[in-house]
Amino acid sequence: MQPTTVTDLPALLGRDAVAGADRPLLTYCDDATGERTELTAVELGGLAAQTAGLLREDCGLDTGSRVAVLLPPHWQTAAVLLGAWSIGAAVSFRPWATAGLAPVGVGENDPLDVLFVSRKRMDSWLEQVPQARHRYVLGLAPGGAPLDEVPDGYRDFVAEAGRHPASLPAYGSIGSTDAASPDGTTYRQWGGLAQGVADQLGLRPGDKLLVDVAKHEQPVMWLLTPLAAGASVVLCANLDRANLDARIAAEGITRVI
């Protein structure tokens, strides 16, 4: 059986289209630091494949394994999510609004297999970072630079994932009725929600969606919705709204949320 890749995921979500392989599928900008990272579908797929290899080969994960993601909207977060879903893991995404709360569908007697957490959230007194058999920390530095110092009990995601090839081995495929999150929500159900959001926004193949990440942390908004619609996305942290019109023109933005 062939593995699911980043370009296959729109089909699981109910659509066959995806942004052209030769143009950016996901662009990440930070108006505070000046960072700008562009990834085509092929490049993002390669990063997701490295994550999948990390989870499968280093952590021994398989379909139904439980993964928690405590990361902000970011290009590395997209790679983590798509890589975990590519091996059929059930992913609990935990935004800042849920800091300190137990992930839905994971109890004390049903521990996490893998945790991905940002260095910033580890340092927050509001957060109670959950335990997991394997724990990875992300500095989310511009250019994807690894951490200078890794906390005890953690491994640097960038360094560890970078050891794996940017192509998915044939682990097997996942289906639209498989659970994409620990509460049992399937790919088809998430896809229906993402497609509904895309329809509400009037998002169509070829569109370019600008997302203010301070307002939209959930990946159904900034990742699954554009994928389901066959659109590309520009994620903007610390968005400079005083220059929003100029950014819209420069990026060729067709929708803003």
Side-chain angles (χ1 to χ4, degrees), residues 5-228:
T5 68
V6 65
T7 51
D8 295 327
L9 283 171
L12 287 173
L13 298 171
R15 291 294 297 269
D16 296 323
V18 72
D22 59 344
R23 61 188 177 89
L25 172 64
L26 186 150
T27 301
Y28 178 82
C29 302
D30 188 331
D31 285 347
T33 66
E35 178 186 359
R36 178 184 178 83
T37 299
E38 290 185 340
L39 297 172
T40 65
V42 172
E43 291 168 331
L44 181 56
L47 294 171
Q50 290 181 312
T51 304
L54 172 72
L55 293 173
R56 179 67 173 179
E57 302 300 331
D58 292 3
C59 303
L61 266 60
D62 205 341
T63 302
S65 296
R66 295 171 181 264
V67 175
V69 178
L70 282 69
L71 300 169
H74 191 273
W75 62 270
Q76 290 185 40
T77 307
V80 167
L81 291 169
L82 294 173
W85 281 323
S86 291
I87 67 164
V91 178
S92 171
F93 183 84
R94 300 177 59 190
W96 268 111
T98 64
L101 299 179
V104 175
V106 178
E108 293 181 359
N109 297 321
D110 196 9
L112 294 166
D113 295 297
V114 176
L115 166 73
F116 295 97
V117 61
S118 68
R119 189 69 179 88
K120 184 176 180 180
R121 283 184 72 166
M122 286 181 62
D123 291 335
S124 172
W125 65 271
L126 289 172
E127 188 64 86
Q128 296 179 6
V129 179
Q131 295 296 316
R133 292 192 298 113
H134 304 276
R135 298 192 293 177
Y136 294 93
V137 60
L138 289 81
L140 305 178
L147 289 164
D148 292 331
E149 184 177 350
V150 181
D152 290 341
Y154 288 83
R155 286 183 284 174
D156 187 332
F157 166 74
V158 171
E160 298 297 328
R163 297 190 176 100
H164 293 269
S167 58
L168 277 173
Y171 295 137
S173 61
I174 52 177
S176 61
T177 58
D178 290 338
S181 50
D183 63 1
T185 304
T186 66
Y187 287 93
R188 178 181 295 166
Q189 290 169 324
W190 278 118
L193 177 58
Q195 189 60 59
V197 174
D199 291 343
Q200 186 178 29
L201 295 173
L203 203 59
R204 298 291 182 265
D207 274 338
K208 199 168 190 179
L209 176 68
L210 175 65
V211 179
D212 181 350
V213 302
K215 293 186 174 182
H216 301 284
E217 286 190 273
Q218 290 289 352
V220 70
M221 296 297 295
W222 60 265
L223 182 61
L224 298 185
T225 288
L227 277 179

